[in-house]
Amino acid sequence: MTETPDLADPDLTCFVERLDDGRVRLDLAVEGMTCAACMFEIEGGLGVLPGVTQARANLTSGRVAVEWQETEGAEPLAPAAIVGRLADLGYKAYPFDRHRMETEEHREARFLLRCLGVAAFATMNVMLLSVSVWSGNVTDITPEQRDFFHWLSALIALPAVAYAGQPFFRSATRALMAGRLNMDVPITLGVLLALGLSVFETLHHAEHAYFDSAVMLLTFLLAGRWLDQNMRRRTRAVAANLAALKAETATKFVGDGEISEVPVSAIRPGDLVLVRPGERIAVDGEVEDGRSEIDQSLVTGETAHVTAERGTLVYAGTLNVVGTLRVRVGAADRGTLLDEVTRLLDRAVEARSHYVRLAERAARLYAPVVHLTALLTVIGWVLLGASWHFAIVTAVAVLIITCPCALGLAIPAVQVVASGALFRSGVLLSSGDAIERLAAVDTIVLDKTGTLTLPEPELADAGRVAPETLALAGRLALTSRHPLAAAIAKAAGATAPLDGASEEPGQGVFATLVGDDGSVRDVRLGRPSWCGAEADATRLASVDPEASVIAFRDGSRTTLFAVRQRLREDATAVLAGLRAKGYAVEILSGDREAAVAHVARQLGVTTVRAGATPADKIAHVEALRAAGHTVLMVGDGINDAPALAAANVSLSPVTAAHLTQAAADAVFLGDRLAPVATALAVTRQARKIMHENLWLAVVYNAIAVPVAIMGYATPLIAALAMSGSSVLVILNALRAKGGAGEGVVDQLAEAARSGNGADPQAAANVVQAAVSGAPARKPVRQTTVKSGTWR
């Protein structure tokens, strides 16, 4: 891997990307960006540079994307000036290097965990000592004993805070040196004042010291920061998984029949490259010679392989399965479909959610308001004639009691509890704010293959095939890696392939059998046209558009197999139940129109779009959002990744491609679709509890802050009040682990068991009856299909 240049090196032009519209872009990794206020500071600080048209900070990925316009005649903006501006703001930046960034993240995560362990250990021990002092103050403790406990607390707390407080102290120092405030400044000020005041009180043999307040505050805050960083690290696998699809080299024809392996960056449009079996295609282009089968799930989301021959378009990131191809390059390195998917994904991830914008506004207000309140408290009490000691103690109490722990826990506490409830229901969250976004959904868009259907194809008509025929076909199928052949081999239970079997690329597998009487016959398994059964296969496909037809020819006798990806067992009932609850449900698939229409009729879905490319999918999702809908995208293919990122929230089955799982906000387990309905029910309940927690936090501050300002709360009482408000919020959050989703699952199961699964409207009626207690209505006539779209 290329070494990232030192930041002192002013020549960063090699990291600059020139966009098609004349703009220039630079991606930087930024250290020290820990909250929404940091994002606001960075974007605002970079926005004042000449020519900058956009600066977007992404807290999740730790990256900042800066775009600027170069004007003719004006001095161009130097990339080093951007890095220098970030340094002035107190942030260390360097050109984005994934390996370096991951190393830094792992180091920071380990450091935060060590700090949390030290703070938690100190908190437990100091609190034990504090309990002894509290109980002794109301009984018969002597001043000498109390001083001993206070000094022992200091011996534990001072070194613990010096070590565990480093993440906050460093951040606050950088902010102050850059002439700005962030959320770590009041935290640092409150902790240091509490410690300093505690040492002062201990030296003067006072009854109260506040070592417990300082270490308890640090423990709460470190736990929140570690959980937040850990959650963000889990979401950064998207680019890494996408990069794994991109070949670094390609085999290029450099002369008369000569080939050479060269970096993809050295390939130009018009070059001729060789793609061997089992290789991932490195370029977009057109097949000039050869025949093979291509796994194009990146483009269509379909697991069935596509025949590639002269004139077929192929794409970077797709997999060449069996044959050798010569491909005339159309695009390489940049401008490929893989790059387009990456660009769409990055653009969607950079989009700001409503919750992030709210957090930015709150973060901008928090630090200055807290500092101003504490300062006015000191000034006010001194003007009223109070001592400086009392005024400072009261200000420390204000700083501690206004610590946004309850407000900060209002959402994360519910997230943790609801996440556990979702986990028990088979839903794994990968995004911190997915719960709020799932709760707001009103439109559900689903991919077909692998989402509404099970990912592995299976033989649909094994019962009508003679056992000896199926057994022979299964043994022949073992020779092929084609997914349709694998389905036949699995249905037959075959374990031993036929001797001498061979595969004809793009056609199928064949073998020659010699009977006991010396007779010889050929057997074939593959394309119906190759087996002489094209007409019969066409008739079968017209009856069952969802099925893929594969033929088996034994001598002169031909048998057709229908292989399909079976609908998830509860798909009909789940979608009917979701529609009964008021959700709009759509199917958005890259598969052919006939197959998608067939599934839609089975499920009773009346809004369908087939043959959609990744760009089509993201455009459709963005159009829905522009119309005011809150969109849940459920998909499993790599081609779904941009749409998953563009949607307000996204779900993916655990069988999905790694890139798709990484792009999704949650993954659901198992072969059933019920976890999707459970996720929506649980998150709606969780959102209600979040709102209650926010009100609890607001009410707490409305009462506690005036009490602290009036001097009725010591720092110890302030810490207890702060902790008490946090405990109250957590106790309320525990309600989110109730069976909010269990009733939904039961209702859907009842709909499936009712025997009305073939009739979506009847299933919807059963679910509606279970929800409302009313009797189910009679089914109504289904909507007819017109031009591939139902309204």
Side-chain angles (χ1 to χ4, degrees):
M1 179 172 292
T2 304
E3 289 290 329
T4 302
D6 188 81
L7 291 179
D9 183 1
D11 186 12
L12 303 176
T13 54
C14 58
F15 297 97
V16 170
E17 178 186 1
R18 298 191 178 277
L19 306 178
D20 293 338
D21 56 2
R23 289 176 297 129
V24 183
R25 178 185 173 107
L26 177 65
D27 280 341
L28 296 170
V30 178
E31 294 180 8
M33 184 166 55
T34 58
C35 64
C38 299
M39 297 166 60
F40 171 75
E41 291 285 351
I42 288 172
E43 293 178 354
L46 294 177
V48 301
L49 293 176
V52 171
T53 57
Q54 179 174 277
R56 300 293 275 177
N58 190 316
L59 188 60
T60 299
S61 63
R63 296 170 66 176
V64 173
V66 187
E67 295 180 5
W68 67 94
Q69 193 78 41
E70 292 187 344
T71 306
E72 187 175 351
E75 184 177 351
L77 177 64
I82 298 173
V83 176
R85 176 58 178 160
L86 287 169
D88 292 340
L89 294 172
Y91 299 96
K92 183 179 180 182
Y94 49 86
F96 182 74
D97 180 288
R98 193 169 308 282
H99 177 71
R100 176 177 176 177
M101 188 170 184
E102 288 175 355
T103 301
E104 291 292 334
E105 286 172 354
H106 283 296
R107 181 188 61 79
E108 181 66 19
R110 289 195 299 269
F111 179 60
L112 279 175
L113 197 56
R114 288 197 300 270
C115 291
L116 176 58
V118 169
F121 176 80
T123 297
M124 290 186 290
N125 286 276
V126 173
M127 287 303 297
L128 286 174
L129 295 171
S130 298
V131 170
S132 301
V133 174
W134 299 340
S135 59
N137 282 337
V138 297
T139 55
D140 56 354
I141 191 172
T142 65
E144 292 78 11
Q145 290 173 323
R146 183 171 54 236
D147 287 348
F148 172 76
F149 283 125
H150 282 167
W151 281 118
L152 195 56
S153 297
L155 186 64
I156 297 171
L158 290 174
V161 170
Y163 181 83
Q166 289 182 78
F168 305 102
F169 301 160
R170 292 174 180 175
S171 173
T173 301
R174 286 196 301 266
L176 292 174
M177 291 179 64
R180 61 184 180 84
L181 297 175
N182 64 10
M183 295 179 71
D184 291 334
V185 173
I187 291 171
T188 299
L189 186 60
V191 169
L192 294 180
L193 281 175
L195 287 175
L197 192 59
S198 297
V199 172
F200 178 85
E201 296 285 73
T202 302
L203 287 170
H204 291 79
H205 313 290
E207 288 189 7
H208 300 291
Y210 315 108
F211 298 110
D212 46 3
S213 305
V215 292
M216 182 187 297
L217 182 63
L218 271 183
T219 302
F220 272 111
L221 295 172
L222 282 167
R225 183 154 295 184
W226 181 81
L227 289 170
D228 176 68
Q229 199 222 36
N230 192 52
M231 183 68 74
R232 286 189 277 121
R233 283 178 59 213
R234 288 173 57 193
T235 65
R236 291 175 185 156
V238 179
N241 285 320
L242 188 58
L245 298 174
K246 189 172 183 178
E248 297 295 332
T249 62
T251 304
K252 175 184 173 182
F253 285 91
V254 294
D256 188 15
E258 295 183 6
I259 58 175
S260 176
E261 188 169 350
V262 299
V264 173
S265 57
I267 302 292
R268 298 290 179 266
D271 288 345
L272 188 65
V273 298
L274 180 71
V275 184
R276 302 181 181 93
E279 288 184 348
R280 197 166 289 280
I281 299 174
V283 300
D284 284 5
E286 182 177 328
V287 176
E288 195 164 280
D289 186 37
R291 184 182 179 89
S292 181
E293 292 199 351
I294 305 293
D295 177 358
Q296 285 195 340
S297 56
L298 172 67
V299 181
T300 65
E302 300 304 306
T303 56
H305 297 165
V306 176
T307 299
E309 52 194 1
R310 182 178 178 83
T312 302
L313 295 177
V314 294
Y315 304 95
T318 58
L319 185 67
N320 181 30
V321 180
V322 290
T324 300
L325 299 174
R326 297 188 182 198
V327 177
R328 184 67 63 182
V329 177
D333 193 27
R334 296 189 181 277
T336 64
L337 177 78
L338 194 59
D339 283 332
E340 176 70 6
V341 172
T342 305
R343 185 186 66 79
L344 294 172
L345 189 59
D346 285 343
R347 187 184 69 182
V349 169
E350 286 176 2
R352 289 291 166 77
S353 70
H354 172 68
Y355 298 95
V356 171
R357 291 194 297 271
L358 287 177
E360 287 177 354
R361 289 197 291 268
R364 272 181 277 168
L365 292 173
Y366 170 73
V369 167
V370 169
H371 285 101
L372 183 61
T373 302
L375 178 62
L376 291 177
T377 299
V378 172
I379 296 173
W381 278 111
V382 170
L383 291 177
L384 290 173
S387 66
W388 280 99
H389 175 271
F390 179 81
I392 292 174
V393 169
T394 304
V396 171
V398 170
L399 285 171
I400 293 175
I401 211 165
T402 54
C403 177
C405 283
L407 194 60
L409 286 170
I411 304 302
V414 181
Q415 287 177 333
V416 170
V417 176
S419 296
L422 290 171
F423 175 77
R424 291 190 296 273
S425 299
V427 180
L428 311 179
L429 297 179
S430 61
S431 178
D433 62 347
I435 291 174
E436 301 102 304
R437 290 182 283 126
L438 275 167
V441 165
D442 58 35
T443 302
I444 304 169
V445 179
L446 302 105
D447 180 43
K448 180 186 74 70
T449 306
T451 302
L452 293 171
T453 65
L454 294 173
E456 295 297 329
E458 62 179 26
L459 187 58
D461 54 355
R464 69 168 183 79
V465 180
E468 60 275 11
T469 300
L470 181 59
L472 184 59
R475 293 186 61 191
L476 185 57
L478 284 176
T479 306
S480 174
R481 292 181 295 177
H482 197 288
L484 300 183
I488 294 174
K490 181 179 179 181
T495 57
L498 287 178
D499 293 334
S502 301
E503 185 162 12
E504 177 73 20
Q507 299 296 334
V509 289
F510 64 93
T512 300
L513 301 182
V514 180
D516 295 335
D517 57 357
S519 60
V520 178
R521 72 183 194 274
D522 292 330
V523 289
R524 289 186 175 191
L525 178 72
R527 289 182 174 275
S529 57
W530 187 55
C531 297
E534 188 169 11
D536 292 337
T538 301
R539 285 193 294 271
L540 180 58
S542 65
V543 176
D544 188 355
E546 177 64 11
S548 296
V549 181
I550 187 169
F552 173 63
R553 182 174 179 178
D554 183 1
S556 59
R557 186 177 59 188
T558 303
T559 303
L560 296 180
F561 297 106
V563 179
R564 71 162 70 93
Q565 288 178 305
R566 178 168 55 89
L567 281 174
R568 293 181 185 266
E569 179 184 351
D570 61 343
T572 301
V574 167
L575 297 189
L578 292 172
R579 292 196 302 274
K581 287 180 174 293
Y583 293 100
V585 179
E586 301 183 8
I587 296 177
L588 181 63
S589 175
D591 200 1
R592 62 191 189 279
E593 185 172 321
V596 178
H598 181 70
V599 167
R601 280 192 292 268
Q602 289 179 278
L603 298 175
V605 178
T606 57
T607 304
V608 179
R609 183 168 181 178
T613 65
D616 292 335
K617 290 188 175 186
I618 197 172
H620 183 69
V621 169
E622 289 178 341
L624 288 172
R625 293 186 63 180
H629 297 288
T630 303
V631 181
L632 164 63
M633 177 71 192
V634 188
D636 78 312
I638 297 174
N639 63 318
D640 296 318
L644 290 169
N648 299 88
V649 64
S650 53
L651 280 169
S652 177
V654 72
T655 51
H658 293 307
L659 170 65
T660 310
Q661 288 187 27
D665 296 302
V667 172
F668 64 91
L669 309 176
D671 292 339
R672 298 171 64 84
L673 204 61
V676 175
T678 301
L680 294 169
V682 169
T683 53
R684 284 201 168 186
Q685 170 72 0
R687 181 178 62 173
K688 178 183 176 184
I689 297 173
M690 287 177 184
H691 291 165
E692 294 172 355
N693 276 354
L694 288 172
W695 277 110
L696 284 172
V698 170
V699 170
Y700 155 76
N701 280 284
I703 297 174
V705 174
V707 168
I709 291 174
M710 289 187 291
Y712 294 125
T714 65
L716 179 59
I717 293 175
L720 290 174
M722 180 270 294
S723 302
S725 66
S726 300
V727 170
L728 185 61
V729 163
I730 291 172
L731 290 175
N732 189 49
L734 291 176
R735 294 171 48 225
K737 74 177 180 180
E742 295 173 5
V744 176
V745 176
D746 292 341
Q747 293 156 15
L748 295 172
E750 173 61 28
R753 287 193 298 266
S754 68
N756 294 319
D759 189 335
Q761 184 60 48
N765 294 341
V766 173
V767 173
Q768 184 63 42
V771 174
S772 63
R777 302 185 304 272
K778 292 182 179 180
V780 297
R781 183 177 299 275
Q782 295 300 301
T783 307
T784 56
V785 179
K786 292 185 179 180
S787 302
T789 303
W790 298 266
R791 296 294 180 188

